[in-house]
Amino acid sequence: MSRPRPATIRDVAALAGVSVGTASKALNGRGSLRAQTVARVRQAAEQLDFRPNQAARDLHGDRTYTVGMITTDTIGRFSIPLLIGAEDILGAGQVSVLLCDARDDPIRERHHLRVLLGRRVDGIIVTGRRAGTRAPIGTNLPVPVVYAFISSTDSADCSVVPDETGGIRLAADHLRHAGRSRLVHVTGPEHHHSARVRASALAGDLVAEPLFGEWSEAWGRRAAGLLLARGVDFDGVIGGNDQIARGVAETLREAGRDVPGDVAVTGFDNWDVIAEASRPSLTSIDMDLDGLGRAAAGLLLAAIDGDPRPGQHRHPARLVIRDSTL
């Protein structure tokens, strides 16, 4: 038999008919609340046998209204949209974000963690330049941690990740609805988490084995040349990212294949500087990184308020249609 879920601060607030913030203030003796409100909240907590998280209780007693973000994404391709989304949520609560670049260096990462904890941040968001999994940044930390874009290997941690399987399926279904039935897939290195996940999601949809290579336009060109040289009969290409898709589209056009007339092409990432500058412009899958950042920030605030939500949370992708499939 499964154990009942412990009551959270949100449960207490709902039963007492107040906001989460008001419930937190009532239980922690903060703010200027009516005696009746405090009594109602405490009665609800007792009724639900609510046991507040001690770290969250300590944190509420001395909030700094700062949150740390540790990233390994040096160029900011993925972390900047995440940061913008997180700030949309955190900024509304007057919470500042301190961004630290670990550059894939464990020593630098530990240094940043010590500095952030020394500054008594209220929580930490950990992100990176690629999807996949990583070891937890620490154990028994005094503040909540949420992993965004990348997932912690510890299921007890809270991670928010893009739904790459759902995203690549959107591309395949779009091509199918557009009348394309002979699909091929050109993607990045086979050892890369995203390349494997996306290729696996297309099993049964392709007329040839996926072509694994590099996350580059040059690889897209070479792969398109290989498909043509091998005489593969295809009318739709699902690119593993936008650079690959642009390379494929340009090579097809140079070989006399009309895009999208003869072959429709989709990308992934919806990197506007690539997708919109391509000729024709690329239909692509957008992982909604700013939305993912907002989701991560919301989960972090909930954890700070004593309502942690462990496990992996998948954030949906969306299809952006442009000329390469019309």
Side-chain angles (χ1 to χ4, degrees), residues 118-132:
R119 288 177 175 268
R120 298 168 48 249
V121 295
D122 296 339
I124 297 173
I125 296 174
V126 178
T127 186
R129 69 168 177 264
R130 62 174 67 91

Side-chain angles (χ1 to χ4, degrees), residues 260-284:
D262 299 320
V263 182
V265 179
T266 66
F268 202 105
D269 294 339
N270 194 34
W271 193 0
D272 53 359
V273 296
I274 300 294
E276 293 179 1
S278 298
R279 293 293 179 268
S281 58
L282 284 174
T283 291
S284 187

Side-chain angles (χ1 to χ4, degrees), residues 67-71 82-83 85-87 90 97-100 116 121 123-128 137 143-150 160 292-301:
V67 163
M69 177 182 281
I70 299 179
T71 180
L82 277 168
L83 175 63
E87 282 193 320
L90 298 170
V97 182
L98 306 178
L99 180 62
C100 302
L116 291 172
V121 295
I124 297 173
I125 296 174
V126 178
T127 186
I137 196 170
V143 297
V145 177
V146 171
Y147 297 80
F149 190 63
I150 196 165
V160 190
L292 195 153
R294 289 193 294 272
L299 287 166
L300 185 62
L301 289 177

Side-chain angles (χ1 to χ4, degrees), residues 223-298:
L226 286 172
L227 290 168
L228 294 173
R230 294 172 181 175
V232 178
D233 182 19
F234 61 96
D235 60 4
V237 179
I238 302 173
N241 71 356
D242 293 333
Q243 294 99 309
I244 290 172
R246 183 161 79 169
V248 167
E250 290 185 355
T251 297
L252 291 176
R253 190 173 62 250
E254 291 167 0
R257 302 286 185 95
D258 181 70
V259 178
D262 299 320
V263 182
V265 179
T266 66
F268 202 105
D269 294 339
N270 194 34
W271 193 0
D272 53 359
V273 296
I274 300 294
E276 293 179 1
S278 298
R279 293 293 179 268
S281 58
L282 284 174
T283 291
S284 187
I285 301 300
D286 192 321
M287 290 185 285
D288 186 27
L289 294 177
D290 54 346
L292 195 153
R294 289 193 294 272

Side-chain angles (χ1 to χ4, degrees), residues 34-57:
R34 296 170 57 193
Q36 297 94 322
T37 301
V38 173
R40 192 165 69 251
V41 170
R42 290 181 177 175
Q43 182 180 3
E46 182 177 355
Q47 181 177 335
L48 294 171
D49 195 26
F50 174 67
R51 295 290 182 268
N53 176 277
Q54 186 60 46
R57 180 191 288 171

Side-chain angles (χ1 to χ4, degrees), residues 30 80 102:
R30 297 182 295 114
I80 295 302

Side-chain angles (χ1 to χ4, degrees), residues 92-131:
Q94 297 183 331
V95 177
S96 299
V97 182
L98 306 178
L99 180 62
C100 302
D101 179 12
R103 305 180 193 176
D104 267 340
D105 180 351
I107 295 176
R108 190 183 297 269
E109 182 175 88
R110 288 195 294 272
H111 166 72
H112 286 315
L113 179 59
R114 286 194 300 270
V115 169
L116 291 172
L117 294 178
R119 288 177 175 268
R120 298 168 48 249
V121 295
D122 296 339
I124 297 173
I125 296 174
V126 178
T127 186
R129 69 168 177 264
R130 62 174 67 91

